[in-house]
Amino acid sequence: MKILAVSDVESKYYYEYYSPGKLDGFDLILACGDLSRNYLEFLATLSHCPVLYICGNHDDALDKNPPGGCICVEDKIYVHKGIRILGLGGSYRYRNGNHMFTEKQMCRRIRRLRLKLWRYKGFDILMTHAPARHINDFDSLSHRGFECFGKLLDKYTPHFFIHGHIHKNYGMNIPQKTVYGNTMIINAFDSCEFEYRD
């Protein structure tokens, strides 16, 4: 299965420089937050696959005006062709906002999913906006990752962990892909294509 992950900035390749057919080969698009409603609707209109999205820390406007044609997977396990995708949007709380959370608040969100996690026997892809703590995050509150995400990786060992929030222009050595145990971690800033194989 070919998947496109996007986050934080509207990819010029898939938007401004779009040409017919560029999105045809994808089976799934994962939007990891801080993307405009127009861009998400553009992807949903011109691709032939589901566009799943979660909210980033700058996405309060999507609460009242969600993108048409897209599927919000906040606090859900969404199954696409047998692949279980867990969505947890938002960032570490550094100011007021609908999609900013303390560590305790994010842990509470995960605890509320216990029954779903048990029913679905875990998940295959963890889709978040923020990274996990101490895995390519920063010490500043605005770009700190969540410790509870690392615990999810340790407990359920998903194939992929897709996140955004850490822009490539924040530093020269920010990797797009990192291996953590049996999980491939992908920073979806701008865009990243990857293959999901069982």
Side-chain angles (χ1 to χ4, degrees):
M1 182 178 294
K2 191 175 181 183
I3 300 175
L4 173 65
V6 292
S7 190
D8 296 286
V9 296
E10 287 72 30
S11 172
K12 289 186 177 181
Y13 181 75
Y14 291 110
Y15 195 36
E16 190 175 332
Y17 304 143
Y18 179 80
S19 58
K22 272 190 180 179
L23 294 167
D24 286 355
F26 295 108
D27 301 291
L28 191 63
I29 296 176
L30 305 178
C32 294
D34 286 352
L35 296 166
S36 72
R37 180 177 184 269
N38 288 343
Y39 179 58
L40 293 173
E41 290 181 345
F42 177 87
L43 294 175
T45 301
L46 293 174
S47 66
H48 303 287
C49 65
V51 175
L52 310 185
Y53 78 95
I54 53 172
C55 292
N57 50 300
H58 299 297
D59 283 335
D60 289 3
L62 295 185
D63 295 343
K64 292 181 179 177
N65 197 11
C70 302
I71 302 166
C72 181
V73 294
E74 288 279 359
D75 302 306
K76 296 175 185 171
I77 296 176
Y78 181 89
V79 181
H80 178 69
K81 296 184 178 179
I83 298 174
R84 302 159 299 171
I85 301 154
L86 171 61
L88 290 165
S91 74
Y92 206 92
R93 181 173 290 280
Y94 62 93
R95 61 171 173 79
N96 288 331
N98 296 346
H99 301 286
M100 295 194 211
F101 305 91
T102 64
E103 183 73 35
K104 285 184 179 179
Q105 288 170 329
M106 187 61 76
C107 287
R108 199 174 303 129
R109 289 176 67 187
I110 293 169
R111 278 198 303 273
R112 289 193 201 110
L113 291 166
R114 278 181 300 192
L115 187 58
K116 288 180 183 176
L117 287 165
W118 174 80
R119 188 184 307 134
Y120 287 98
K121 299 179 181 177
F123 53 92
D124 303 299
I125 296 176
L126 175 60
M127 179 181 168
T128 71
H129 181 63
R133 185 72 176 123
H134 302 303
I135 305 176
N136 303 325
D137 68 339
F138 295 108
D139 289 328
S140 61
L141 281 181
S142 56
H143 291 93
R144 179 176 296 179
F146 288 101
E147 291 181 18
C148 50
F149 290 171
K151 292 176 182 176
L152 280 174
L153 299 181
D154 291 338
K155 183 172 182 178
Y156 295 101
T157 60
H159 295 294
F160 289 95
F161 171 28
I162 316 297
H163 70 83
H165 197 51
I166 305 299
H167 296 209
K168 289 287 188 71
N169 58 352
Y170 290 167
M172 290 183 60
N173 298 314
I174 295 173
Q176 186 165 54
K177 296 181 179 178
T178 304
V179 175
Y180 178 84
N182 293 319
T183 301
M184 172 64 72
I185 299 175
I186 295 176
N187 180 353
F189 174 77
D190 190 303
S191 66
C192 181
E193 300 178 18
F194 66 99
E195 293 275 347
Y196 184 100
R197 296 185 178 92
D198 282 333

